Amino acid sequence: MKGVVFLGERKLALQEFKDPTPGPGEVVLEIKASGMCGSDLKLYRAPLGGGVKDLAVKDLSAPVIAGHEPCGVVAAVGPYVSEAQARVGMRTMVHHYGGCGVCKHCRSGWSQLCLKRFVAYGITEHGAHAQYLKVPAATLVPLPDELSFEVGAAISCGTGTAYAALKRIGLSGRETVAIFGQGPVGLSATQLAKAIGARVIALDVSEERLALAKGFGADVTIDPKKDDPVQAIKELTHGEGAELTMDCSGNPDARLAAIRGTQTWGTMGFVGEGDKLTVDVSTDLMRRQLTLVASWTFSTVGQAECARFVADRRIAVEKVFTHRYRLDQAEEAYKLFDTQSTGKGVLLP
Ligand SMILES: [Zn+2]
Ligand SMILES: [Zn+2]
């Protein structure tokens, strides 16, 4: 089979790999959709292996197949996999992490927090930018019949991350929420927050992405290059700031503006990865009784819950995909994604 490999410094290649066969407890999926996530850009841009190191996991000697938003159909089942876990032909997403399976975090569905090891498919092990993917049966999260493979791919990282973060900051629908960064995760957060009933202020430095945010129901859009974002949020919230804010960009200025654009007793959520933050603890946090929340992806249970929510509310998650590609168009796909002006891309092998 063929798979997409990041070679470092914005180079990638479609390489030939042996078709995987499932070992004990494993399944092989035929990939139907493999989403492109913002964190893939970090891996794509970094020197070979450097992106993985930046995500504070490990050094990689040989590149692995990229893609950590897998969705497809079970093609083969290994020994010791029960009928209840997986059947050939089953439509499924993948919770794209593997842990020891027995520590407290693995048992609660948070294998990315495993006390023993860190495995992420598409980052430390082969991922889904390929025709087939081998994973432990325990990582499978069944795809509701109502949802397409593309939507399943989005929920497997970007949209699932947005859903989990909105829950973590306590969005009820009564609030105004300001969402910094309207890339794939931020756009999903805008769409889901609207579905939950909130008033959404969407911020991004890209005109194109602000236009997408409008299409996803954002009540107001702000370009921080043109208008002071803290000032603009305050003007929209009777001078107080938003009850809830969230940074999906990972940009230090955006993080600080999100904190300063949050009203007293409000909550700010960190969602965008990487980089740092300098903050005046007294003025910006303590004297405004702020709550800061850091939210990293979701559990297997959270992923299933997000899928159920999207299906039951008939949320058009597929709108987040502005570009669709074949595997052999991966180079073109990442070149465009690298401009950070588009919605999400998906590889349909
Ligand atoms: Zn574990
Ligand atoms: Zn991701």
Side-chain angles (χ1 to χ4, degrees):
M1 68 166 187
K2 289 189 183 347
V4 175
V5 163
F6 295 144
L7 300 173
E9 282 147 14
R10 296 182 162 84
K11 284 193 274 295
L12 61 75
L14 194 59
Q15 291 181 358
E16 197 67 45
F17 292 87
K18 240 181 88 192
D19 283 355
T21 48
E26 294 177 332
V27 298
V28 167
L29 301 189
E30 184 187 342
I31 296 297
K32 297 288 191 185
S34 178
M36 294 161 64
C37 178
S39 50
D40 289 321
L41 275 186
K42 287 200 185 355
L43 303 170
Y44 170 73
R45 289 170 178 168
L48 182 56
V52 176
K53 220 157 112 192
D54 283 353
L55 293 171
V57 281
K58 67 172 186 183
D59 282 305
L60 268 194
S61 45
V64 296
I65 297 171
H68 62 270
E69 296 189 339
C71 194
V73 166
V74 175
V77 176
Y80 312 118
V81 175
S82 72
E83 268 281 306
Q85 278 182 299
R87 302 168 304 283
V88 170
M90 182 173 116
R91 301 168 81 248
T92 188
M93 302 180 285
V94 172
H95 184 252
H96 65 269
Y97 304 102
C100 71
V102 293
C103 76
K104 61 182 179 182
H105 300 304
C106 284
R107 285 191 191 278
S108 62
W110 289 95
S111 50
Q112 64 269 50
L113 306 177
C114 179
L115 296 170
K116 297 272 158 59
R117 62 198 184 113
F118 180 77
V119 170
Y121 299 96
I123 299 169
T124 67
E125 305 280 335
H126 286 324
H129 285 359
Q131 289 156 297
Y132 296 99
L133 169 66
K134 182 177 76 170
V135 287
T139 65
L140 300 187
V141 179
L143 182 68
D145 289 340
E146 303 95 310
L147 302 186
S148 68
F149 292 114
E150 284 179 18
V151 170
I155 290 169
S156 295
C157 190
T159 302
T161 293
Y163 181 83
L166 291 173
K167 253 185 107 164
R168 288 288 311 276
I169 62 170
L171 187 84
S172 75
R174 291 189 297 271
E175 311 87 349
T176 294
V177 59
I179 302 171
F180 286 72
Q182 293 293 308
V185 174
L187 281 174
S188 286
T190 293
Q191 187 181 35
L192 295 169
K194 282 310 291 179
I196 294 166
R199 174 182 180 227
V200 177
I201 301 172
L203 302 97
D204 203 288
V205 292
S206 152
E207 294 269 350
E208 291 93 334
R209 285 187 162 174
L210 290 178
L212 288 170
K214 270 269 175 213
F216 274 54
D219 296 274
V220 189
T221 58
I222 296 168
D223 181 347
K225 277 194 324 236
K226 294 185 187 145
D227 298 300
D228 180 302
V230 178
Q231 203 55 40
I233 291 169
K234 286 191 170 167
E235 275 165 25
L236 291 162
T237 51
H238 314 284
E240 287 198 52
E243 287 98 337
L244 304 173
T245 59
M246 183 190 272
D247 174 62
C248 300
S249 73
N251 177 293
D253 295 337
R255 282 175 180 154
L256 193 57
I259 287 170
R260 291 181 174 163
T262 309
Q263 68 174 238
T264 300
W265 293 110
T267 299
M268 181 271 176
F270 293 99
V271 184
E273 291 246 30
D275 225 316
K276 299 212 164 32
L277 171 68
T278 304
V279 66
D280 185 326
V281 173
S282 290
T283 320
D284 292 326
L285 306 178
M286 290 172 64
R287 286 172 201 169
R288 300 196 299 113
Q289 306 284 10
L290 236 56
T291 300
L292 300 183
V293 169
S295 189
W296 181 38
T297 59
F298 43 81
S299 69
T300 48
V301 177
Q303 186 172 350
E305 184 188 308
C306 176
R308 203 60 267 165
F309 180 82
V310 166
D312 289 348
R313 305 294 178 98
R314 299 174 195 277
I315 299 169
V317 165
E318 63 282 354
K319 273 171 59 186
V320 79
F321 292 109
T322 50
H323 294 78
R324 291 167 176 80
Y325 304 96
R326 295 186 312 270
L327 264 190
D328 60 13
Q329 295 173 302
E331 196 167 337
E332 174 195 333
Y334 274 94
K335 249 189 199 125
L336 183 63
F337 195 37
D338 194 26
T339 64
Q340 290 190 279
S341 60
T342 66
K344 201 172 167 77
V346 60
L347 303 183
L348 306 164

